[in-house]
Amino acid sequence: MELEFFGAAGEVTGSCHILHVGGHKLLLDCGMIQGSRKTEQRNADPFPFSTSDIDAVVLSHAHIDHSGRLPLLAKRGYSGPIYTHNASRDLCHILLQDSARLGERDAELQNRKRERKGLSPVKPLYTVADAEAALTLIEGSHYDDRREILPGVSIRFRDAGHIMGSSIVEMWVKEGSLERKIVFSGDLGQYDTPVLKDPTPIEEADLVLMESTYGDRDHRDRELTFQEIGEIIQEARHNRGNILIPAFAVGRSQELLYLFGKHFDEWGLERWQIFLDSPMAIEASRVYWDYPHLYDEEATKLRRDLDQMPLLPNLRLSQATEESMQINKIRSGAIVIAGSGMCNGGRIIHHLKHNLWRKECQVIIVGYQAQGSLGRRLVEGSKDVRIYGETVRVGARIRTVGGLSAHGDREDLANWYRGFENRPPVCLVHGEISAAESFKHKLETECGATARLTQPGLKLDLEKLPQLEH
Ligand code: ZN
């Protein structure tokens, strides 16, 4: 019995691990590596395992850095089941097809240039047909139902409070007389986040695979965050500028709209035109609407009241490209939510090109920005950035609002760990090395845990872990 780490080990994106048990191989996530163009080329590399050896896949949630290479897995011969939560299955339909379309379009554009240079054409990482093949393999479940997926392997999804359908995965595995319970945290949400419930506490495990994205920092208090957003909106209005919010289509976009509805009067939003400029976010919002039983209490109440009260009367959903281009003509009074969340593609790039150089505008960063992404360069204070081959001066104010992150901060992560009564050992994944190291220190000094960092290729023998104390 072994656990092997491949991706999101020593970095944040590309989540991918394998559990070896009783001659079976269970793949945990199959995510896309995200960041600079060069980094992303690694997605096309051969998998460090044979796809025909994989018996089952367990997917923690729909975000592309966890699900994005499932179509490639199918393209390269995997035809077994992919287990995930029902809402993740629905969101994967949107995200994976979109990812495939983006890849196809990107290859097409490159090939036009390559043809002119007499170079041979490149192929997309995968096609829409490959994505559809992967989607047919998905088997959705509810939270809290334990099911056997392979001989000696049972799993149960628990609400991780990160995006709709996001799961902590409990795995009970058996090989001969050896039994282990492994818990994979997936991505953990913040406590008291809008719309979603808190991460579910788990009481017992022999080993925990735990994310550490923000293991080295504390998010700002939520109330202060809301105050800060109010101030940003006021400042932009005073300066007669626009506000751009790069946001993941799934998760952040829906929660931002929820917050805009809730703080509509307080933030003076009636004076603004609000655009959700993302067909994918619009579709994902419908999935959010379809799972009301997963909302927290407050969102449930707001939704109940919605029949009487129109939420965000000045919200425009922008589907067609022409509609998106129209937004670029607006000089002031527009709040634009568009993807991608790390500004490494999508419609937000066009809005940045038109607004970034203008000092009266504001860019609100609400999510994690991977190294090498345009979003990261903005956060780090670059004075000039390249957009579509042009140098654009950064005149707009870049405001990072950590309190809206979909990931818990180090206190949230430690809180969740404290739910384990037996203090199991922890393997840290899904974090840059500095964040993981800092969180390891916190776990060991404040939570009574032993923790270790992971790197690609690391193999752990699950027989040698300390026994559970009963
Ligand atoms: Zn995620």
Side-chain angles (χ1 to χ4, degrees), residues 60-66 162-163 166 186-188 248 406-407 430:
S60 65
H61 66 290
H63 272 153
I64 272 311
D65 62 322
H66 294 256
H162 166 70
I163 59 167
S166 65
D187 286 359
L188 295 166
F248 284 116
H407 289 270
H430 206 282

Side-chain angles (χ1 to χ4, degrees), residues 40 227 266 284 319:
E40 292 184 2
Q227 210 178 311
E266 188 191 330
Q319 295 265 13

Side-chain angles (χ1 to χ4, degrees), residues 54-167:
I54 303 295
D55 298 284
V57 179
V58 172
L59 174 67
S60 65
H61 66 290
H63 272 153
I64 272 311
D65 62 322
H66 294 256
S67 69
R69 276 193 292 174
L70 288 172
L72 191 62
L73 196 73
K75 179 183 171 180
R76 292 181 180 169
Y78 178 72
S79 58
I82 300 170
Y83 298 99
T84 196
H85 186 275
N86 288 322
S88 300
R89 174 200 58 209
D90 294 356
L91 290 171
C92 275
H93 273 265
I94 301 167
L95 284 165
L96 294 181
Q97 294 200 11
D98 181 79
S99 167
R101 274 194 297 269
L102 279 180
E104 284 186 1
R105 204 178 320 145
D106 195 47
E108 219 178 276
L109 287 175
Q110 278 192 56
N111 286 340
R112 259 186 249 156
K113 286 186 195 161
R114 292 176 71 87
E115 207 180 345
R116 285 196 290 269
K117 290 182 187 159
L119 296 169
S120 55
V122 292
K123 284 204 169 106
L125 190 61
Y126 49 78
T127 61
V128 172
D130 297 323
E132 278 163 3
L135 290 166
T136 61
L137 305 176
I138 297 185
E139 286 191 33
S141 317
H142 299 288
Y143 286 133
D144 308 328
D145 285 348
R146 181 169 164 168
R147 68 190 285 190
E148 189 175 42
I149 57 166
L150 289 168
V153 180
S154 307
I155 61 166
R156 180 162 69 179
F157 295 113
R158 313 298 297 274
D159 196 339
H162 166 70
I163 59 167
M164 198 55 75
S166 65
S167 300

Side-chain angles (χ1 to χ4, degrees), residues 197-381:
K197 292 179 183 164
D198 289 345
T200 312
I202 312 291
E203 285 170 12
E204 202 174 59
D206 294 302
L207 178 73
V208 184
L209 251 74
M210 193 173 170
E211 73 123 318
S212 52
T213 317
Y214 289 119
D216 59 346
R217 80 189 75 163
D218 299 314
H219 293 324
R220 225 168 160 194
D221 177 79
R222 296 195 79 80
E223 285 311 314
L224 287 176
T225 297
F226 297 152
Q227 210 178 311
E228 194 183 353
I229 296 174
E231 284 163 15
I232 296 171
I233 293 173
Q234 215 178 8
E235 189 179 314
R237 183 175 153 69
H238 180 259
N239 295 340
R240 298 177 182 278
N242 292 325
I243 299 174
L244 306 185
I245 312 181
F248 284 116
V250 177
R252 270 342 56 205
S253 295
Q254 290 74 30
E255 291 178 24
L256 280 166
L257 293 182
Y258 173 86
L259 286 175
F260 283 173
K262 201 176 149 205
H263 297 268
F264 193 76
D265 296 329
E266 188 191 330
W267 291 348
L269 287 170
E270 74 281 0
R271 302 189 194 97
W272 291 81
Q273 286 179 276
I274 303 167
F275 296 93
L276 181 59
D277 185 24
S278 162
M280 192 168 43
I282 295 167
E283 259 188 272
S285 302
R286 295 201 179 106
V287 175
Y288 265 59
W289 199 249
D290 286 344
Y291 287 86
H293 58 287
L294 301 182
Y295 291 11
D296 65 6
E297 244 173 74
E298 194 185 270
T300 305
K301 187 176 171 307
L302 191 75
R303 185 184 160 125
R304 240 192 346 251
D305 297 344
L306 272 183
D307 287 341
Q308 295 88 29
M309 183 187 71
L311 186 67
L312 295 180
N314 48 353
L315 172 68
R316 312 267 159 88
L317 303 176
S318 141
Q319 295 265 13
T321 313
E322 301 76 55
E323 292 173 82
S324 176
M325 285 160 73
Q326 288 298 323
I327 303 172
N328 288 327
K329 294 187 183 144
I330 304 174
R331 302 286 294 172
S332 87
I335 297 177
V336 187
I337 304 171
S340 77
M342 298 188 197
C343 312
N344 46 355
R347 291 181 173 182
I348 194 70
I349 301 287
H350 296 274
H351 300 307
L352 285 168
K353 193 176 155 193
H354 286 89
N355 291 280
L356 199 57
W357 54 276
R358 301 175 56 212
K359 60 181 185 317
E360 58 273 30
C361 292
Q362 308 260 346
V363 180
I364 308 183
I365 303 282
V366 293
Y368 174 77
Q369 306 295 314
Q371 277 172 343
S373 63
L374 174 56
R376 181 71 163 249
R377 288 201 291 284
L378 293 176
V379 168
E380 286 173 349

